[in-house]
Amino acid sequence: MAHENKDYSKYFDFSGAKLISEDERGRTIRLDGRRIHIVSEPDYRQEKQRGKEDIKVHYEQAVPESLRRLGQGRKYMIYTYGCQMNEHDTEVMRGLFEEMGYTAADDRSEADVILLNTCAVRENAEDKVYGELGHLKRLKLQRPELILGVCGCMSQEAAVVNRIMHKHPYVDMVFGTHNIHRLPHLLEEAHYGKEMVIEVWSKEGDIIENLPKKREGLRAWVNIMYGCDKFCTYCIVPYTRGKERSRLPEDVIAEVRDLARQGFKEITLLGQNVNAYGKDFTDREYRFAHLMDDIRKIDIPRVRFTTSHPRDFDDHLIEVLAKGGNLVEHIHLPFQSGSNEVLKRMGRKYTREHFLELVDRIRQAMPDAVLTSDIIVGFPGETEAQFEETLSLVREARISMSYTFIYSPREGTPAADMADSVPHEEKRKRLLRLNELNAEMSLESNLELRDRVVQVLVEGESKNNANVLSGRTRSNKLIHFEGPKEWIGQFAYVRVTQPQTWFIRAEAVGIAEPAPEAYTFGA
């Protein structure tokens, strides 16, 4: 592939910089009047490598005793972009901040540290971060002691770090996805030093357990694995998140049990490809289906997972999910395109027929299953006929809702070097057509619930009306209904009265479970 011959070192070029010092802790340079301490920088080639070295698991405390008072009297704020994995990383960073004595700021003007936890999956996500950095420059000029940091997936890209160094020199610290546990030490260096600090690990390192987490609400994210080995041609994630590493099942189960004791009502198991869980174990035969079967026995009301890959969705997993109980009927199953030719160029390694066969096996075992998906339009070379195949697959598979995106080239991926023959205006039109179908399928799925009684986890008041409560069904459908505020945080039963496209209106039945003939478990 053409991208193999590119010299990605050019993205980390500081030809205008002066080397001040170099030792075992990296090098310090002066660039445009700012001292920059580069402990380690992102490297595309290293990020692509999948070594056979053993992943070790560490259980020591991430915050040493000497740093537990560093944040006393100081406040932090984190802006999070992107997927649930980023949300979970933010929960870990919140936990680290608070173990160091920091408290959360309600307003950026009172924050002593502001972090941008970034996403690299689409170009517009990166543009938002650069825009936010522009806004924060004014705040930094007003308060030079403010510490600004950029972390997350964007930081794993050499071109991004280079741009920050040249165009946003007021940023104080840059770190990636593999060394979040190093945040206390990076904060110490940023507080007492006058340099921008860059510490981005290109190789993922080991699994760090016992990291503190500050969670909010009724639902909790639980990482079960890190990284991805699929290398779909459009995707930057295998580079930014590293190779697949599964947490030990005993550590995952212990965390879920602890969340149950704390009273969480719902957990979502997270991984870039959760159903590849356990493939990297060499000492045991234990896969995602085994983990789900074990978690099924824990007393926590709802268990979800995201996201899965059709190639790794096996019959054992379907068999376990069909047992129901706390395993919900909602499955997020990204198919990306309905055309075999496009799927081949995407490197997805399955066909339209394989996907429909999988959907059929899921529905045979779980008739109430609600399927959602991710779809990309305008992939390089996509013809009108191939796009029509995507529309027809949505209908055939009865996908109730999809997250839809216009293809966005990511530097360093094979697709970025493919000839893009689809004009932007045509991509935009295709997205509109797909979204019209998306709305149609969502309404059709919601209409199936008319007059049925469903269970809702009541999460709070509706944003638009304090008298209306809001919550979600087992199949993740948004419900609005009038009911007492005391129900917030509990499971309620409601009768669906007005199914609409993106949410459902209902009337309260009660907190107690109604008679079986009135209640539809699979909704």
Side-chain angles (χ1 to χ4, degrees):
M1 294 179 188
H3 80 295
E4 294 283 358
N5 302 319
K6 282 191 175 182
D7 179 13
Y8 287 116
S9 64
K10 71 181 182 182
Y11 295 115
F12 218 72
D13 169 39
F14 357 95
S15 48
K18 179 185 177 185
L19 181 66
I20 296 173
S21 64
E22 189 165 12
D23 57 26
E24 69 279 356
R25 286 211 64 248
R27 61 196 187 279
T28 300
I29 64 172
R30 185 179 294 280
L31 182 68
D32 300 329
R34 177 89 200 255
R35 285 168 65 101
I36 303 174
H37 182 203
I38 302 169
V39 181
S40 53
E41 69 263 26
D43 182 301
Y44 280 107
R45 286 198 183 89
Q46 282 191 39
E47 287 175 349
K48 186 176 181 181
Q49 289 168 4
R50 292 295 187 268
K52 294 195 182 301
E53 65 273 9
D54 287 339
I55 298 294
K56 297 182 175 63
V57 183
H58 301 271
Y59 295 93
E60 64 266 19
Q61 294 299 313
V63 182
E65 201 61 45
S66 60
L67 295 181
R68 287 182 178 260
R69 297 170 63 84
L70 180 69
Q72 279 207 327
R74 293 171 169 151
K75 296 188 174 185
Y76 73 92
M77 180 169 270
I78 306 175
Y79 291 95
T80 310
Y81 304 82
C83 68
Q84 294 96 333
M85 195 71 77
N86 288 38
E87 297 279 359
H88 185 264
D89 287 347
T90 289
E91 290 179 342
V92 171
M93 288 189 285
R94 282 198 204 112
L96 290 168
F97 269 116
E98 305 219 351
E99 275 204 6
M100 297 174 72
Y102 291 86
T103 55
D106 295 321
D107 188 273
R108 62 166 68 184
S109 63
E110 62 182 35
D112 298 283
V113 182
I114 297 177
L115 294 185
L116 305 185
N117 185 9
T118 63
C119 171
V121 171
R122 277 169 290 281
E123 191 173 6
N124 65 345
E126 290 195 0
D127 289 342
K128 284 179 185 175
V129 171
Y130 290 130
E132 195 59 58
L133 282 176
H135 297 314
L136 289 169
K137 180 179 181 179
R138 191 176 299 113
L139 198 59
K140 180 73 172 178
L141 289 171
Q142 292 168 359
R143 297 172 51 219
E145 73 282 2
L146 170 67
I147 292 174
L148 291 182
V150 178
C151 59
C153 290
M154 276 176 67
S155 302
Q156 296 290 150
E157 297 184 84
V160 168
V161 177
N162 209 34
R163 175 170 171 172
I164 290 171
M165 290 195 312
H166 283 88
K167 296 191 174 181
H168 306 280
Y170 47 89
V171 169
D172 297 289
M173 52 196 283
V174 180
F175 60 100
T177 61
H178 306 324
N179 60 332
I180 287 174
H181 62 287
R182 289 271 305 149
L183 176 61
H185 302 280
L186 293 168
L187 283 168
E188 180 186 31
E189 192 165 346
H191 271 303
Y192 298 123
K194 302 293 183 196
E195 306 164 330
M196 178 192 292
V197 180
I198 294 171
E199 186 177 313
V200 179
W201 295 3
S202 294
K203 294 302 287 178
E204 54 279 331
D206 297 333
I207 291 176
I208 314 296
E209 292 289 348
N210 288 347
L211 290 175
K213 302 173 186 74
K214 187 188 178 190
R215 295 177 164 107
E216 295 170 347
L218 310 167
R219 300 182 291 175
W221 311 113
V222 177
N223 245 116
I224 65 167
M225 64 181 300
Y226 307 91
C228 182
D229 288 348
K230 284 291 184 279
F231 283 102
C232 301
T233 59
Y234 54 83
C235 187
I236 197 74
V237 167
Y239 306 87
T240 63
R241 290 281 176 178
K243 73 176 181 182
E244 289 175 352
R245 295 99 69 207
S246 302
R247 292 178 65 198
L248 296 176
E250 49 267 36
D251 292 331
V252 174
I253 288 166
E255 184 174 352
V256 173
R257 283 192 174 128
D258 187 50
L259 291 169
R261 280 192 292 271
Q262 291 178 48
F264 281 92
K265 306 292 188 188
E266 179 178 305
I267 62 161
T268 302
L269 305 179
L270 291 182
Q272 248 69 47
N273 175 16
V274 288
N275 41 2
Y277 176 82
K279 285 171 73 174
D280 54 319
F281 291 148
T282 55
D283 62 339
R284 65 186 87 192
E285 185 59 41
Y286 190 96
R287 297 291 298 277
F288 186 49
H290 298 104
L291 181 67
M292 291 296 278
D293 211 14
D294 284 340
I295 289 177
R296 187 177 62 83
K297 298 160 190 164
I298 298 174
D299 187 18
I300 200 156
R302 288 183 181 176
V303 178
R304 304 186 185 278
F305 61 92
T306 193
T307 190
S308 54
H309 193 293
R311 269 182 69 202
D312 292 321
F313 213 108
D314 58 31
D315 287 339
H316 184 199
L317 178 58
I318 295 172
E319 177 192 325
V320 171
L321 294 177
K323 294 178 182 179
N326 61 358
L327 306 184
V328 301
E329 297 75 35
H330 171 225
I331 297 174
H332 190 65
L333 195 60
F335 68 79
Q336 306 300 0
S337 172
S339 159
N340 285 343
E341 291 87 350
V342 175
L343 287 170
K344 189 174 182 179
R345 289 200 299 278
M346 287 179 165
R348 294 289 285 175
K349 296 186 172 62
Y350 58 82
T351 62
R352 172 195 182 93
E353 290 74 24
H354 171 270
F355 183 81
L356 284 169
E357 209 176 282
L358 171 61
V359 167
D360 187 52
R361 293 202 309 276
I362 290 171
R363 293 204 187 281
Q364 281 183 21
M366 305 166 63
D368 285 326
V370 170
L371 302 185
T372 57
S373 196
D374 294 342
I375 304 171
I376 295 171
V377 302
F379 190 75
E382 181 188 68
T383 64
E384 172 62 24
Q386 289 166 349
F387 172 66
E388 289 285 351
E389 288 184 276
T390 293
L391 296 180
S392 66
L393 185 58
V394 171
R395 288 193 174 92
E396 282 184 57
R398 294 183 7 244
I399 302 297
S400 71
M401 195 280 294
S402 300
Y403 297 100
T404 59
F405 311 97
I406 289 177
Y407 168 71
S408 168
R410 312 312 299 137
E411 190 65 70
T413 62
D417 294 325
M418 294 180 184
D420 191 354
S421 58
V422 187
H424 181 75
E425 184 57 27
E426 180 57 33
K427 291 177 185 176
R428 200 182 62 79
K429 287 178 181 174
R430 287 179 189 175
L431 184 70
L432 286 172
R433 287 163 60 196
L434 177 58
N435 284 342
E436 285 171 4
L437 176 60
N438 204 9
E440 179 189 319
M441 298 299 292
S442 179
L443 179 59
E444 186 179 300
S445 177
N446 289 348
L447 283 168
E448 291 177 6
L449 298 182
R450 191 194 294 276
D451 298 326
R452 287 165 68 173
V453 173
V454 296
Q455 183 200 67
V456 177
L457 175 55
V458 186
E459 296 176 24
E461 298 171 3
S462 164
K463 292 174 185 174
N464 303 321
N465 187 340
N467 296 319
V468 173
L469 299 180
S470 176
R472 290 188 178 270
T473 66
R474 287 172 57 92
S475 57
N476 212 34
K477 294 183 180 295
L478 180 62
I479 302 278
H480 286 173
F481 67 100
E482 290 189 13
K485 302 283 187 291
E486 301 77 56
W487 286 9
I488 293 173
Q490 300 187 59
F491 288 101
Y493 295 90
V494 301
R495 180 173 286 101
V496 172
T497 54
Q498 289 180 278
Q500 301 192 9
T501 302
W502 303 118
F503 72 98
I504 292 169
R505 295 190 192 280
E507 60 185 18
V509 172
I511 289 291
E513 187 169 352
E517 61 271 12
Y519 173 45
T520 303
F521 187 76

